[in-house]
Amino acid sequence: MDSDNENQAPLNTSNESDSGIQLLKPEEIEELFKLANIDSSEVYPIVQSLYSSVPVDKDTDEYKILELDHHLIEALKIGDTLTFRGDENEPAVLCSNTRTYEVKEAETSNTCLLVPNLKCADDMKDEEIEGHIAESVEVKGVYSKYLEVREISPKLSKLQTLLEPSSFKGMEYEKLIDKSTLYDWERIQDNVQASDGEILKALPELLIAQMDGYYRLISFEFEAKAVPLMLDLMEENSWEIDEVDKEVSCKSLSEIIPEPIFELLFKKYTEPSTKTNKNGTQLYKYDEAKSSRLLAQILLTACPTNSYSDFMEAWKIGSPDSIQPKEEYLYGAAIVVNNSLTMRKEVILYPESNLSDDIQKRLNELFKAKEKWTVKEIAPYISKFTTRKQDVNAILTKHARPSTVNGVKYYSSKHGK
């Protein structure tokens, strides 16, 4: 006998699959179609018989079923990575490169089967088989529960908490920094429940600069010291508010403000001007609202509650001549209330960063501090909870009660008086 033929596996002429499942013969398949009143010509040539090596009366733990939205599916199609993030004591979130999702377990009324090798219609349309044949396909999992996702705002408050111990307070304090409290990019990724894109976007907004390979939060104390020095340069150099020279400012303060810190502060508090210097170099304009708000915060940190008239006067005296304080600049940093006990109008320090990260708890805190809010007043305190599908107005419509007083729309507690 030929040696090649000796090594050939014998043909499986029985009607038993490799899994040991007894399969229907072609004539039995045709008879089954007749009993079910099904036209066999409309059925694909391969009939698949499912079998399971796992119990069908309880969920399988080896795999989990995860429901994805269009964005997540497209991310996988182009080769992006989806990652679960969070400490062992935190509910996990799922992140793409640009979005964050909460993950919750949900039940389904129909049992779901995981069948990896099941052939679908597109897999069989080109099969050239005469009649019908049966194949066995293994069920790898049985599920009555699955994981569903919902896009949420990134959880960025933890980023500030993590970086606070190593915050930049000035060059004279750098030798006191505990190296173990420093965070590089990988350590931030491991600990912050937000996508890479959302974290990178938040870094300048939260005043987090990269220095020597680590990410450093600029402390309020240093910000309160550095920005007034930057503003003072306008008077020292006889600049108008829209004639600020970035290069001159950086060099003048280089011994006090490291370049990465200066770049971040300058980017936050200025915007490109329409003017240029004699050499054609771009000049900049200080943002009045942001600059004025910081000066107000400095005053309020020293004295958190003030008479409205006294505060406005002190605020104006402490501001450069080119910056005129306005009450609206206080939004997100302080609140203006009418104190019924003292019978006076007051300005009270009320920073957004001190409030709860839970939207309902935060609104309760806001309405406890002040009964009625306009949209402009409350927006800085709840904008972090907005998503692509829910803006500030939608949040207020859901969680607060509107009212109109003298033509002005206010929002108050939904369950208040």
Side-chain angles (χ1 to χ4, degrees), residues 57-197:
D57 57 347
K58 64 178 182 180
D59 284 11
T60 308
D61 293 329
E62 187 176 358
Y63 301 98
K64 295 290 184 183
I65 301 297
L66 177 63
E67 182 184 60
L68 303 179
D69 67 4
H70 178 73
H71 166 76
L72 294 173
I73 292 173
E74 290 302 312
L76 289 175
K77 284 183 178 179
I78 63 175
D80 286 348
T81 300
L82 304 183
T83 57
F84 287 100
R85 292 183 177 176
D87 291 337
E88 58 182 19
N89 297 322
E90 296 174 322
V93 299
L94 180 66
C95 297
S96 67
N97 285 343
T98 57
R99 300 185 190 180
T100 303
Y101 295 78
E102 70 173 0
V103 183
K104 289 187 176 181
E105 189 174 67
E107 293 187 356
T108 174
S109 57
N110 298 316
T111 300
C112 297
L113 303 180
L114 176 61
V115 192
N117 296 318
L118 186 71
K119 293 180 179 178
C120 297
D122 288 344
D123 301 321
M124 296 187 288
K125 62 184 180 182
D126 296 327
E127 294 279 1
E128 295 182 1
I129 299 174
E130 186 174 340
H132 292 84
I133 62 171
E135 292 183 353
S136 63
V137 186
E138 183 179 5
V139 176
K140 291 288 188 179
V142 181
Y143 304 90
S144 59
K145 298 178 181 179
Y146 67 99
L147 300 176
E148 63 179 5
V149 298
R150 181 178 70 87
E151 186 180 359
I152 59 172
S153 301
K155 299 183 179 183
L156 295 166
S157 59
K158 187 179 179 182
L159 182 58
Q160 291 174 290
T161 302
L162 293 173
L163 299 184
E164 178 62 36
S166 63
S167 62
F168 183 83
K169 297 179 174 66
M171 293 303 297
E172 63 270 30
Y173 297 100
E174 285 298 276
K175 291 182 180 180
L176 303 177
I177 295 296
D178 181 353
K179 301 297 182 182
S180 67
T181 64
L182 295 172
Y183 278 75
D184 59 13
W185 179 245
E186 289 186 0
R187 195 176 180 191
I188 287 177
Q189 286 179 306
D190 291 340
N191 287 275
V192 178
Q193 291 186 301
S195 69
D196 290 353

Side-chain angles (χ1 to χ4, degrees), residues 257-374:
I257 311 175
E259 187 173 351
I261 304 295
F262 176 85
E263 288 287 344
L264 200 55
L265 291 172
F266 195 84
K267 182 177 181 181
K268 176 179 179 178
Y269 286 100
T270 68
E271 58 189 23
S273 170
T274 56
K275 298 180 180 180
T276 58
N277 63 16
K278 296 178 181 179
N279 299 324
T281 303
Q282 174 74 62
L283 295 177
Y284 292 83
K285 176 184 178 182
Y286 274 106
D287 185 308
E288 286 193 55
K290 291 179 180 178
S291 302
S292 197
R293 185 181 298 112
L294 176 65
L295 296 175
Q297 286 178 283
I298 295 172
L299 289 174
L300 289 166
T301 300
C303 184
T305 301
N306 299 264
S307 159
Y308 180 84
S309 57
D310 291 345
F311 174 79
M312 294 301 290
E313 183 179 354
W315 191 13
K316 184 176 182 179
I317 293 173
S319 300
D321 293 338
S322 53
I323 294 180
Q324 298 299 314
K326 297 179 183 179
E327 182 179 320
E328 64 193 64
Y329 294 163
L330 295 173
Y331 298 163
I335 56 175
V336 177
V337 298
N338 290 307
N339 190 323
S340 58
L341 296 177
T342 60
M343 300 297 292
R344 70 174 188 175
K345 192 175 182 181
E346 294 180 338
V347 179
I348 301 174
L349 179 65
Y350 202 71
E352 181 275 334
S353 58
N354 288 356
L355 299 179
S356 170
D357 285 329
D358 177 84
I359 179 59
Q360 190 57 63
K361 290 181 179 178
R362 174 169 291 213
L363 286 168
N364 291 341
E365 292 168 350
L366 290 167
F367 293 130
K368 185 178 180 180
K370 184 175 179 177
E371 185 179 350
K372 294 180 182 294
W373 299 72
T374 64

